[in-house]
Amino acid sequence: MPRFHELNVTDVKKTIRDAVVVTLKPVNGGDFDFIQGQYLTFRQEIEGVELRRSYSICAGKDEGILQVGIKKVDGGAFSTWANDELKPGMILQAMEPMGSFHTPLDAGARKSYLGFAGGSGITPVLSILKTVLSSETGSDFTLVYANRGVNTIMFREELEDLKNLYMGRLNIIHVLESDAQDIELFQGRVDAEKCAALFDHWIDVNAVDTAFICGPEPMMLGIAKALKDHGLSEDQIKFELFASAQPGRLERKARDAEAGTGAARTQASVTLDGTSRSFEMDKDVSILDAALENAMDAPYACKAGVCSTCKCKVLEGEVEMVANHALEDYEVERGYVLSCQSYPLTDRVVVDYDQ
């Protein structure tokens, strides 16, 4: 069960005008070891409201530091606070590193990796490429990085340094929407058509072992389609959403229409930290919200089905999970759900956050 721990902010550095790289260190020397591509979920009270936000680790596994990149977004209370107010010496609360946006590495492997990143989606991809290049010395990495213009490229200098350090093993293609480029193909948006052209002229997609995609959902779907059209399997394509295009909860299917108000209630049993609690809940309330309403400190971050912080296992009954951008198919088959997106279908539901 993920819990919050105190992290000391040791450095805050601008990477572009509206984005910072935050270096962190556990206050009590706790183990915050991470796998490349994972993220941290932070908790912070701003203007009397508790906010939880997840940000990807941008450091490489072998660098010996813990860093996240935080880009300011319009109306984003946490990202604005982090960019404007966060200073070295301050304390942040964060859960242990989480996420499955990675693949096992082997020091003796000779593989070709392909990464697509849009905007701040570079943060986990940067962690992955740095770790791959330092730990798999026979492997190479191609990065396609999409931005509006040159001035919005996060980690631009660091990427150039890495390209020089791993000359011949790291290839970086910048695709810009607004700024002119010498090569016309490198202008515009990265969609399925753009990918097909890149595969024809610049990228040997047939040699790719694993592809990583992180960015806005429409971009990711177009890239994934192009990769599949060119022969990559589902298992070879890894996704990480930093924002969901889901407008919210999907419209529920009509059920038990003639059963009256009694059918709208469920008897729920929730296990958390070894303690089980039973309560009645409405069927149009998510498992997570019902647990929180009943004074249970259930874990969560995005509440949009994008992260897996609120994952739990259904032991009895049936739920409808209306969105899932985080769990693998095998996890769903084993009964795991995202509690923020799961609504009871049966009159009794038993879930466990500890498994």
Side-chain angles (χ1 to χ4, degrees), residues 165-180:
L165 178 63
Y166 297 106
M167 196 170 296
R169 296 178 55 213
L170 174 60
N171 180 33
I172 301 175
I173 298 173
H174 290 286
V175 180
L176 305 177
E177 279 189 41
S178 56
D179 290 355

Side-chain angles (χ1 to χ4, degrees), residues 7-12 22-26 66 87-90:
L7 298 177
N8 182 36
V9 178
T10 61
D11 187 43
V12 180
V22 183
T23 305
L24 304 155
K25 186 177 181 180
L66 183 64
K87 300 289 188 295
M90 296 175 69

Side-chain angles (χ1 to χ4, degrees), residues 141-259:
F141 203 109
T142 296
L143 170 66
V144 180
Y145 188 13
N147 281 282
R148 289 192 183 90
V150 172
N151 63 344
T152 66
I153 299 176
M154 291 179 66
F155 306 104
R156 183 185 174 194
E157 291 183 3
E158 183 172 1
L159 287 169
E160 288 302 313
D161 290 342
L162 287 167
K163 190 174 178 179
N164 293 329
L165 178 63
Y166 297 106
M167 196 170 296
R169 296 178 55 213
L170 174 60
N171 180 33
I172 301 175
I173 298 173
H174 290 286
V175 180
L176 305 177
E177 279 189 41
S178 56
D179 290 355
Q181 298 253 58
D182 292 337
I183 300 173
E184 186 177 351
L185 180 58
F186 298 165
Q187 292 178 227
R189 294 173 178 252
V190 178
D191 52 19
E193 184 179 354
K194 179 77 70 180
C195 287
L198 289 170
F199 298 157
D200 285 341
H201 302 287
W202 289 90
I203 299 170
D204 183 5
V205 70
N206 295 317
V208 173
D209 293 284
T210 305
F212 298 93
I213 317 172
C214 185
E217 190 172 2
M219 184 192 92
M220 289 177 45
L221 293 175
I223 294 169
K225 181 181 185 305
L227 290 170
K228 291 174 187 175
D229 288 345
H230 285 78
L232 267 68
S233 67
E234 292 273 0
D235 292 340
Q236 291 176 285
I237 304 172
K238 303 290 183 181
F239 295 91
E240 179 80 340
L241 271 174
F242 64 77
S244 176
Q246 294 279 345
R249 185 181 161 194
L250 301 181
E251 185 177 347
R252 297 297 307 284
K253 301 169 187 173
R255 285 184 171 87
D256 300 319
E258 300 92 14

Side-chain angles (χ1 to χ4, degrees), residues 57-180:
I57 297 168
C58 56
K61 174 82 174 167
D62 304 324
E63 289 187 277
I65 56 174
L66 183 64
Q67 288 181 325
V68 297
I70 303 178
K71 188 176 188 300
K72 185 189 294 188
V73 297
D74 290 339
F78 189 101
S79 65
T80 298
W81 173 81
N83 273 264
D84 296 346
E85 306 294 336
L86 198 57
K87 300 289 188 295
M90 296 175 69
I91 300 296
L92 287 178
Q93 290 189 327
M95 291 183 184
E96 300 95 334
M98 300 177 67
S100 56
F101 187 53
H102 52 79
T103 191
L105 301 182
D106 178 359
R110 300 181 65 86
K111 294 183 178 180
S112 289
Y113 297 90
L114 176 59
F116 288 90
S120 58
I122 186 61
T123 47
V125 178
L126 180 61
S127 174
I128 292 166
L129 78 82
K130 286 194 287 190
T131 305
V132 163
L133 294 170
S134 66
S135 62
E136 283 190 358
T137 57
S139 296
D140 58 73
F141 203 109
T142 296
L143 170 66
V144 180
Y145 188 13
N147 281 282
R148 289 192 183 90
V150 172
N151 63 344
T152 66
I153 299 176
M154 291 179 66
F155 306 104
R156 183 185 174 194
E157 291 183 3
E158 183 172 1
L159 287 169
E160 288 302 313
D161 290 342
L162 287 167
K163 190 174 178 179
N164 293 329
L165 178 63
Y166 297 106
M167 196 170 296
R169 296 178 55 213
L170 174 60
N171 180 33
I172 301 175
I173 298 173
H174 290 286
V175 180
L176 305 177
E177 279 189 41
S178 56
D179 290 355

